[in-house]
Amino acid sequence: MDYRNLRLAICLGTVAASLLAAVQFCFVSTPTKVLVDKAVSAIKSTPIATATEATLKNGEDGAQLLASYVSQSKSSPILEYIRRQLDDEKENGTASSYQNSYCDLQGGDWCPTGKDAWQQKAPAFMVLGAKKAGTTSLFASLVQHPQIIPAVRKETLFFSPRRFNFTRYLGEDDKKVKVQTIRQDYLSLFRPDPLQRKGEGKVSFDATPGNLLHWDTAARPILCSCPWVKLLVIVRNPTDRLWSNYNFHKEQVTKQEAKNDTNNNFYSFEEYVRNELLLMTRYGLVEKSSPRTQQQEQEQSTTTRLPSLDDAGMAKAWSAYTATCQSAVGRGMYVLNLLGWFKQLRLMGRDPKDALRIVRLEDLKGNDKVASQLLEEVTDWLVFDGGVAASDGVTKQPPKNKKRSFVHFMETYKHSVKKPVLSETTRSMLDEFYAPYNDLLSRLLEDERWSYRRGEQGKQQGEEPVVWPRNLGIRNDGDEGPFYHPTSSGQSTGICSST
Ligand SMILES: Nc1ncnc2c1ncn2[C@@H]1O[C@H](COP(=O)(O)OS(=O)(=O)O)[C@@H](OP(=O)(O)O)[C@H]1O
């Protein structure tokens, strides 16, 4: 290569690198259609996308376009990964090994006690998500409980990867979580005058729905800084959730465009889903079931596809995918997201059945005695370690405002919202796409009603409300509750016991 050609090559290389950096920067900072556009155009420039790309032409049926993309669900690497995890789910660690491996206490106490103790103010529980599964209703219902106090806003977003200060909160090798630094900063998001709560049996909580999706980055910092925390999850039929996510995103973009006086038609729902499936394909999470040519295989291995989905590969692929789009499809892969949390809990020696409760929005809708009882049971568990007995002589207090009790809120919400309708063809295609994930969820939770199968009349399976674990409110060991939280005032047990 002569000098001029070399100079030209260097210039072109520099321009390409700058463009790539600009695209990456935009991905993490622009939460609108632009983000998806950029992600998709980046994909289009790779051989993988060229192999799978299809464009919606004028008048073309969106459902038809989507069909080839959802057919991949049966053989996707992500499903294989989940199955492997489920076969291998017995792996248990201990609190001290977890703490030694992942949590840098910086001279502090993992489970401080005493009246100035951090956890007097810290969250006793968190609502992890899922986004668009009724978390706002659930939040509004929970705060009706006189012993439950929210953070300064519903979603603190403190542990969300786009806000979380990785440099400040993680050690140099990104492995150990700086517990004291997180506690010091996170605490500012909780109500002042926490000592007033001492002895009153009150507990704080954070309800950031993205934390379910971001198990790969959020679970460890959360569990290192609040090792006692209880986790509450609400899910919803993943197709309905996805549709709601799309409409919400569309509305946001439309509003923004009206403000900027621009008007680009937002993607159709089918294109929106297709774009995400393309991204997932790019990161090796799902793949087209049609056999690839040898050339395509070669091209794929030299681009961004990750070689295999072992634990590290999965976390990396998931982070890459969730950083580049709304993650609207992945948020409904509940089993994967929960497994990420299960794994961390097991590593720290906590049984997910004790640490986590999962409810379905479908069971909380409507003015139904059972739904009301369900929420009451859940709140008893959140405040009193299972509702069996209040510690320190703290007794259960009546709701603040009877008129706005759980069910009342749920009911008025339902009637006040007018919703666009999803076409039946697309709905059943997405139901089919999510079916294997839902089946694996029911395997994980040991109850087939989590599979969200529809009956003949299109009704969701399961006549009785589903909550996991099913023995809610009854301790399985008959012993002290497994968590330390503000109401237990030094009588710590489980992960925070003095052992
Ligand atoms: N009580 C009751 N009955 C029926 N549906 C309900 C109820 N409460 C919340 N919802 C539906 O949940 C969707 C909003 O979920 P989130 O509050 O989690 O949204 S967000 O993540 O906080 O943005 C939103 O879904 P869509 O209407 O389908 O978009 C709400 O209508």
Side-chain angles (χ1 to χ4, degrees), residues 35-299:
L35 188 148
V36 181
D37 270 336
K38 290 190 175 184
V40 170
S41 62
I43 292 164
K44 280 180 178 169
S45 65
T46 70
I48 310 164
T50 322
T52 54
E53 185 195 342
T55 336
L56 191 57
K57 297 182 189 75
N58 237 354
E60 193 179 2
D61 183 359
Q64 227 171 9
L65 166 76
L66 195 55
S68 64
Y69 289 89
V70 299
S71 67
Q72 63 219 347
S73 64
K74 299 265 173 340
S75 65
S76 79
I78 206 171
L79 282 170
E80 281 155 32
Y81 172 85
I82 295 168
R83 286 190 190 106
R84 266 204 319 274
Q85 292 290 310
L86 283 171
D87 290 341
D88 184 39
E89 67 171 308
K90 305 287 174 276
E91 176 198 0
N92 276 332
T94 63
S96 59
S97 65
Y98 191 86
Q99 187 208 303
N100 288 337
S101 308
Y102 306 118
C103 318
D104 175 4
L105 299 183
Q106 301 161 288
D109 187 347
W110 208 25
C111 302
T113 54
K115 66 181 182 158
D116 291 326
W118 187 80
Q119 72 262 45
Q120 297 291 344
K121 315 162 194 177
F125 73 91
M126 289 187 184
V127 176
L128 295 182
K131 178 175 169 162
K132 294 291 150 200
T135 55
T136 314
S137 271
L138 181 64
F139 174 86
S141 300
L142 290 172
V143 298
Q144 294 309 308
H145 195 293
Q147 283 145 300
I148 292 181
I149 303 167
V152 291
R153 51 183 173 271
K154 177 199 163 208
E155 300 180 25
T156 70
L157 298 172
F158 187 86
F159 296 96
S160 304
R162 289 181 194 190
R163 308 257 181 123
F164 189 71
N165 191 335
F166 288 95
T167 319
R168 181 168 164 79
Y169 300 134
L170 296 188
E172 274 183 14
D173 58 357
D174 269 10
K175 205 176 164 206
K176 281 207 168 186
V177 173
K178 292 184 181 163
V179 172
Q180 301 298 89
T181 319
I182 291 189
R183 286 177 175 178
Q184 176 194 317
D185 295 356
Y186 188 38
L187 202 56
S188 65
L189 297 166
F190 292 85
R191 309 267 163 189
D193 204 11
L195 295 184
Q196 278 190 352
R197 307 207 304 258
K198 190 174 180 304
E200 290 177 17
K202 296 195 177 182
V203 294
S204 318
F205 77 112
D206 178 350
T208 302
N211 285 340
L212 181 63
L213 174 80
H214 295 298
W215 53 268
D216 52 320
T217 49
R220 200 168 282 169
I222 287 176
L223 295 176
C224 272
S225 52
C226 314
W228 53 81
V229 80
K230 296 176 191 176
L231 305 167
L232 179 60
V233 171
I234 182 165
V235 298
R236 174 187 191 183
N237 179 304
T239 305
D240 295 335
R241 201 219 63 80
L242 179 56
W243 176 235
S244 170
N245 203 145
Y246 165 76
N247 285 309
F248 176 73
H249 193 192
K250 183 178 173 180
E251 198 181 303
Q252 275 188 322
V253 172
T254 313
K255 269 189 204 156
Q256 190 60 42
E257 284 181 341
K259 237 190 209 170
N260 302 343
D261 219 11
T262 51
N263 184 18
N264 297 314
N265 282 334
F266 194 70
Y267 296 110
S268 70
F269 179 59
E270 288 79 7
E271 286 172 305
Y272 185 79
V273 174
R274 184 275 314 260
N275 290 347
E276 280 220 6
L277 292 178
L278 273 173
L279 270 175
M280 287 187 147
T281 311
R282 180 183 189 190
Y283 294 119
L285 293 165
V286 297
E287 64 183 16
K288 296 279 286 176
S289 51
S290 55
R292 285 187 297 265
T293 63
Q294 212 179 0
Q295 191 198 348
Q296 282 165 351
E297 287 288 354
Q298 270 171 8
E299 283 168 346

Side-chain angles (χ1 to χ4, degrees), residues 303-439:
T303 55
T304 52
R305 183 158 182 260
L306 296 159
S308 74
L309 288 177
D310 56 4
D311 273 2
M314 182 68 215
K316 205 173 158 196
W318 198 247
S319 299
Y321 158 67
T322 54
T324 42
C325 63
Q326 282 270 313
S327 319
V329 174
R331 284 177 203 269
M333 294 173 169
Y334 305 128
V335 62
L336 175 80
N337 297 323
L338 282 170
L339 271 170
W341 280 93
F342 272 45
K343 187 156 191 137
Q344 289 298 315
L345 288 166
R346 288 209 177 93
L347 276 174
M348 73 191 303
R350 286 179 71 182
D351 183 348
K353 283 189 183 172
D354 292 328
L356 235 147
R357 292 289 185 273
I358 312 164
V359 295
R360 307 193 307 181
L361 173 64
E362 289 80 1
D363 298 325
L364 294 171
K365 296 198 279 189
N367 190 355
D368 174 0
K369 258 194 192 164
V370 190
S372 162
Q373 197 190 338
L374 182 71
L375 275 163
E376 215 172 303
E377 283 173 354
V378 169
T379 47
D380 276 358
W381 171 68
L382 293 171
V383 182
F384 298 126
D385 270 356
V388 176
S391 37
D392 299 348
V394 175
T395 49
K396 200 172 147 184
Q397 294 167 24
K400 281 178 206 156
N401 178 352
K402 274 195 175 156
K403 277 191 184 156
R404 295 201 62 208
S405 69
F406 301 134
V407 172
H408 179 83
F409 182 89
M410 289 288 186
E411 215 192 6
T412 45
Y413 192 97
K414 186 170 77 176
H415 294 305
S416 65
V417 187
K418 211 175 161 211
K419 301 169 188 172
V421 179
L422 173 61
S423 90
E424 266 316 305
T425 325
T426 302
R427 170 182 294 283
S428 46
M429 202 179 334
L430 286 169
D431 280 353
E432 197 195 316
F433 172 78
Y434 276 122
Y437 296 90
N438 297 341
D439 287 346

